[in-house]
Amino acid sequence: MSIQTPQKPLPGAYIQTPAVSRFQSFQSRQPNAVSQQQNGKQQQSQALSQQGQSVQKGGQRSENQDIPPIERAAKAVNEALSEESQYPDLDSYIGQGISSDYEVTSQPAWAPFQKTRMHPIPDRIFEQYNRAQVSTIMGLFADFNHAWVAIDNALYLWDYTHPNPDLVSFEEQPHTITAVRLVKPRAGVFVPAVIRLLVVATTADIIIIGLSAQPAPHGGQSIALYSLKMSAPVKGLDINVIEGSDLTGRIFFSGRVSDDVYEFTYQQEERWFQNRCTKVNHTQKGYSTFTPATFFGQRAQQETVVQMVADDSRRLLYTLSSRSKIRTFHMKGNGVLDLVITKPLGQTLSNVGHMTSQSELISPSMAIMSISAITAQEATKTHLMASTSTGCRIFMSATSSYGNYSSSSNAPTSMQVQHVKFPPADTTTSNSTQVTPYANTPNINTSSRSLFPTRNAIRYAPGYFLAFIVKDQQSGTDLLFVSGPDTARIARPQDQQRLTRYAELALWLNLGSRAEDVGLATEPFSASFSPVGFGNELAVQFDKPTSEIAILTNTGVHMLRRRRLVDIFAAALRLGGGDEGLEGEVKKFIRHYGPGETASTALAVACGQAFDVTSDSRLARILDTDVLEHARKAFIEYGGKPMFNENSMLDQSMPAIDLVQPSPRHRGLARYISRLVRSVWKAPIIKEMLTPTGGLIISSSVPMVKLKEISQDLTKLKEFLNVNRSFIEGLAGPEALGNVKTKQDEVCLQAEHRALHALVVLIDNIIEGLAFVLVLYDEKIEETVLSLANEVRQQVRNLSYEDLCTTALGKQLAKDLVKAIVNRNILSGSNVETVAEALRRRCGSFCSADDVVIFKAQEYVKRGSEAGADSDVCRDYLNESLRLFKQVIGSLSMEQLHWITENYVSLQFYAGSVQLCLNKARESDRGGRALTWIQEGRPSGDKRIEAFEYRRRCYDLVHQVILSLERSRMESPDMVDGHLTLAGRRREEAADEIDTSDDEVFQTDLYDWYLQENRSDRLLEVESPYVITYLERRSSDGIAHADLLWKYHLQHERYQDAAMVQLALAKSQFVLSLDQRINYLGNAKTNASTTRPGIVRSTRTEVLREVSDLLDVANIQSDLLQRLKGETRITADRRPQVIEELDGPILPLTVLFNTYCEPAFYFDLCILIYEAADHRVASDIKATWQNLLESAHTQAELANDGPQPYEMVAETVRTLGNRLGLSETMFPVADLLPMLKRYAFNFQHNVGPETWVVDIFTDLQVPYEAIYAVLENMFYNDEAPFQGRNRRLIGNDIVYIARAWFQDSIRGSGTVFGGEDNALAVSEMLHTVMQSGLDERRLEECQNLRMRIENMLR
């Protein structure tokens, strides 16, 4: 491979150009630490420059450099989303072992939860409570924002969020209520309005009541109860626990008299042997199913169920007994419930003992107070969490008989303790026991009694833990300990080499009352549908509502809100205590969560994403100027710097800029963007559904409100970046290069700018994409989508928001939808300009200012069509549309150009269509790349082909216009009564546009099309300089183009040019026969001989000479070819090769002579070659003539029935003489006549006429005096064999030629022998000849001739 000389780079034009150091003159002479560091940087900069130069010399270019900004930004967002989706699953940080990692904060700013408000219990409830006679129980339906209280036989529900709620009551039964539960109904049993079942257990029956909910005016929900008349007797069971399966609608319950598990079954209608409602005991069969367990009238002191928990993800039902025994049931189909695992407290303690045996918190004296299911969506191994009275959390896993973890179809057979989480350290005692189970792991406190005694506890995904501790038994109030996973620390642990630790943030809250119930007021948390990524609260902190927990006490409903990391950071900035405190809080964040997460969080706060509870218990955005300013500074000043990957310095194949890792600021920005758009990024923009009647309904896969929220958040982000652009490293612009000191800094800054700029571009694109979707749904989207082509519609159906905002296809599909919207408005008669302008303002990328002009011009075309093609109004509209289309010619798509052309042609606006197509073609290739490609011979594989192909698509439309013109001409004439018709005038205008176009590429393509359509006659009629250029350029491509070229010259009387083209054809390497080449040369000779004013004579003479010379060679080659076709000496295998070689290009004379003529003894052709080659060596010529005579004689002798040898010789000489034109050199009479006379004497004596030799020359019109002179020399030379008596043979010829000369000279008024001197000389010669012994006849002739000569001389 040849090494190319690289172009000299301009300073600063390439990243490989080293930056000049500003401190070159001030180098320290002492090699101190600073100078060594600087030297190291300089060496690295030199290596960097060498690397860049190496890349330049190699001509290599990184693929990463070619990525457009939008693709680069999309890649960054996708990487951020992928990183967030890899958040550790619960099993990864709750492994086999124990832990006690808590950070219990006393600082309000860092609190993981906060109380938002307390909703008091309405006075009307207290009024009813005061009337209680038997029992009172309370609870929450938090997902409906409702609380309930059962007072004796009455049940009251109220919306606790309403300041003065209405009570919804159920008082239609007389028995005391013992338990209440809200469950989901089984599908298909009740009407759709019944979305929940209210299960009410009394001392006598278990009843289900229908519940419906509707949005309330104040923002909550209003509920209504429906009597379903469904109940089952349960007298004596004393039900206290009810649980429902959301998936199957099954209802389970148990009572205080046994640990049996019952199921309440229900159906729409009664069936044979089965009532509408009944209860089924799944743990005991037979008589005990219908009879409570009693002994001699006294209740047995036996184990009972205190809690039930259903896990629909695994089809499991867990129960907790009063003796801390945990049972696991498998909910099968057809109403089956199998007990699969029973785990007494002793087994649990034994399992824990294998992990630690030094804790008094895990002992037989403790009790399990509650259990919480962990779904398969959250964890694969971990199934259940049990909370003990000592505050420990025991995580358990269940496995099947094959060692696999259980699933919905695979029931478990055993359960083991997986992990134990001990309480946080008790600050009131110092003698706690600590163990260190693993090396390099913080000590684990296994004896803290900080959570003792825990009265109740509950866990919500992804790990919110609430424990209610009764420190003071007399006060009757609970102390709440609440903790949650430190999500940011779990996601990005400080030590990547260690296993992820179960880090939690916690705080203490004094409720001041006793908790009665706890409920999740928001949707259950879930960041993904699989364990990996499920618990990532960071990913959804801007995408989903923050989790809220309602705690019902005897004073009211306390609302506990999970604080997001952005809320914590904002509070920390607010309460940081000035600039010094701010720096400390930011650095603390960086230590805990890393610079990237800190940058992302600071950016979110600066964009107004943080919330806090106000003094009046409202949740409001934190928009304090100081907080926003601190967040802005944190993002700018603590965003980090891009890093150069020094480990990749040796990779010479990559440009230096691709070895730079962008700053944490860039990662934070990409992470923030990904969190804003995560819910829509992969979602399709449309969702199609069919109605029962087959109609199409299209809806958004994402609620419109959500799209608007995302758009608003991105707009705020865009404004923030624009305002602070000059302060953000990487966005500050070229002036930031003034601060770089080394080459490495310069490259890093360029890489940072490239990365940040790409994200800024992406933000704009997403904002416009969302605005476009909102506009799309403002229109009649079903009609818009149905108007698309099937292929485009399928693409739109599969189009995601990511594709819409980041890909060329998405942008094109959006434009297709915009066109469909506009076209629909045009058809409906709406004001297109208004619609288009609205689209342009909201989503300029999909509907620009040019698009507005296009739509307006399209409307003019439509109006023109309505006015009629022959009206002046139509012509005005079309001219105006043409003017508008030309203004935005660069924005016209090929599809739009097709539409315009079709409409223009239908309205007979041919000239406008041609103009527009030609303008579009020229606009698409302003640099003339297509023309240079044509001029350079149309090389294949050239990138300029794309420019030509696009232009040709425009020209194809012109071709269609031409065809339309011809069809129109057949339908209506151009002239009527000698006047040009309107249609004719329009056709003439279009033809004039076509013929006078100065677009050489168009003319070239047009001529190609003419030839393709077999319209060469049309091409010959065109009066344009581009025709000759075209044909000259294409003449090298084929015979047809070259023939057209010389025909075009002839038709326009350029004979000299035609001759030159024909000469070139004869000399070309085209596949032409020799006869065709001779024909071209013959025509060329004729054309070159034709004179015409303006032709330079010297040029004509030169062309004519070249044509004649080549024609002579071609004729020789033709003779040779014909002779070789019949040559018997050539083998059958060799003959086709010889014919192919000769019946083609005209060969050089040297080849013809040396390869064919001389070896084949074709002496006549050799002589012709001498003539053509101007070979004047007399000896060679004479010898060849001698060989020719011998060859002719031999051939005649070999032919038995052929002519006499002398006849063959005579004919050969006569023929060749004619072809040579009596050339003195090639036809030397002085040599040939003696040679023939000797031949006649030696081989043909007395054969044939006596004068046949002399007759040859007279027939060839050799002058008599020349023949006479040769014979005279022969007579006097006395050479053998014409000596002695044989001299008379020469004498006879002299007499014969003298007589013929005499007779020729006396014709008319000529002088005898041309003059008196010649006559005297001839007379004397005849006198001498008479003495040579002539025969009588010749002697008499000689005497008579001499006498006549003398008489003439007197």
Side-chain angles (χ1 to χ4, degrees), residues 937-938 1008 1011 1019 1030-1047 1061-1062 1064-1066 1068-1072 1076-1077 1080:
R938 309 188 184 199
D1008 283 339
L1011 298 182
L1019 179 61
Y1030 166 78
L1031 292 175
E1032 287 177 347
R1033 189 180 295 129
R1034 297 302 301 272
S1035 60
S1036 60
D1037 296 342
I1039 293 292
H1041 297 90
D1043 280 342
L1044 284 174
L1045 180 58
W1046 66 261
K1047 289 177 182 178
V1061 174
Q1062 291 167 334
L1065 274 172
S1068 71
Q1069 295 300 316
F1070 289 131
V1071 180
L1072 292 171
Q1076 288 175 307
R1077 297 177 189 272
Y1080 280 129

Side-chain angles (χ1 to χ4, degrees), residues 718-767:
K718 176 183 176 181
E719 293 172 354
F720 173 83
L721 295 176
N722 287 338
V723 171
N724 297 280
R725 179 181 296 272
S726 59
F727 304 104
I728 299 174
E729 183 176 343
L731 290 179
E735 58 271 13
L737 291 173
N739 299 324
V740 299
K741 298 180 180 179
T742 65
K743 172 60 183 174
Q744 178 178 340
D745 293 341
E746 180 183 351
V747 175
C748 288
L749 184 61
Q750 290 175 341
E752 180 78 356
H753 171 75
R754 184 177 70 174
L756 289 177
H757 171 70
L759 291 176
V760 171
V761 173
L762 177 62
I763 292 170
D764 289 335
N765 280 25
I766 298 176
I767 292 173

Side-chain angles (χ1 to χ4, degrees), residues 1093-1209:
I1095 298 178
V1096 180
R1097 183 174 182 180
S1098 59
T1099 303
R1100 183 176 68 85
T1101 303
E1102 183 179 350
V1103 174
L1104 184 60
R1105 182 175 63 251
E1106 183 179 0
V1107 171
S1108 299
D1109 292 346
L1110 191 61
L1111 183 60
D1112 291 340
V1113 177
N1115 287 327
I1116 295 172
Q1117 183 172 331
S1118 178
D1119 292 341
L1120 177 62
L1121 173 63
Q1122 297 305 320
R1123 197 169 297 181
L1124 287 177
K1125 285 182 178 179
E1127 180 63 69
T1128 58
R1129 291 175 293 173
I1130 302 178
T1131 63
D1133 296 337
R1134 171 66 176 159
R1135 188 184 307 277
Q1137 180 181 355
V1138 171
I1139 293 175
E1140 181 180 0
E1141 292 174 356
L1142 292 175
D1143 194 13
I1146 300 174
L1147 301 177
L1149 290 172
T1150 304
V1151 175
L1152 295 176
F1153 183 85
N1154 294 327
T1155 305
Y1156 297 102
C1157 295
E1158 189 179 39
F1161 307 131
Y1162 296 152
F1163 301 113
D1164 54 342
L1165 298 182
C1166 291
I1167 294 172
L1168 292 175
I1169 291 175
Y1170 291 157
E1171 172 70 12
D1174 198 19
H1175 184 74
R1176 297 179 178 273
V1177 180
S1179 60
D1180 292 342
I1181 297 172
K1182 184 177 180 181
T1184 303
W1185 272 108
Q1186 185 65 46
N1187 291 333
L1188 176 61
L1189 298 181
E1190 293 177 0
S1191 175
H1193 177 78
T1194 303
Q1195 290 179 10
E1197 288 184 338
L1198 292 176
N1200 297 327
D1201 54 351
Q1204 292 292 328
Y1206 83 90
E1207 293 176 334
M1208 176 71 76
V1209 170

Side-chain angles (χ1 to χ4, degrees), residues 16 109 172 214 257 334 347 362 388 435 505 515 556 775 979 985 1027 1066 1081 1116 1153 1195 1246:
Q16 290 83 0
E172 285 76 18
Q214 297 293 333
V257 297
N334 299 323
Q347 287 187 11
I362 306 295
T388 70
V435 296
L505 294 173
V775 172
H979 298 286
R985 178 162 53 83
V1027 177
L1081 289 172
I1116 295 172
F1153 183 85
Q1195 290 179 10
N1246 296 326

Side-chain angles (χ1 to χ4, degrees), residues 922-932 951:
R922 181 172 294 143
E923 178 67 21
S924 68
D925 182 28
R926 287 185 173 183
R929 299 170 70 241
L931 180 59
T932 59
R951 296 185 73 150

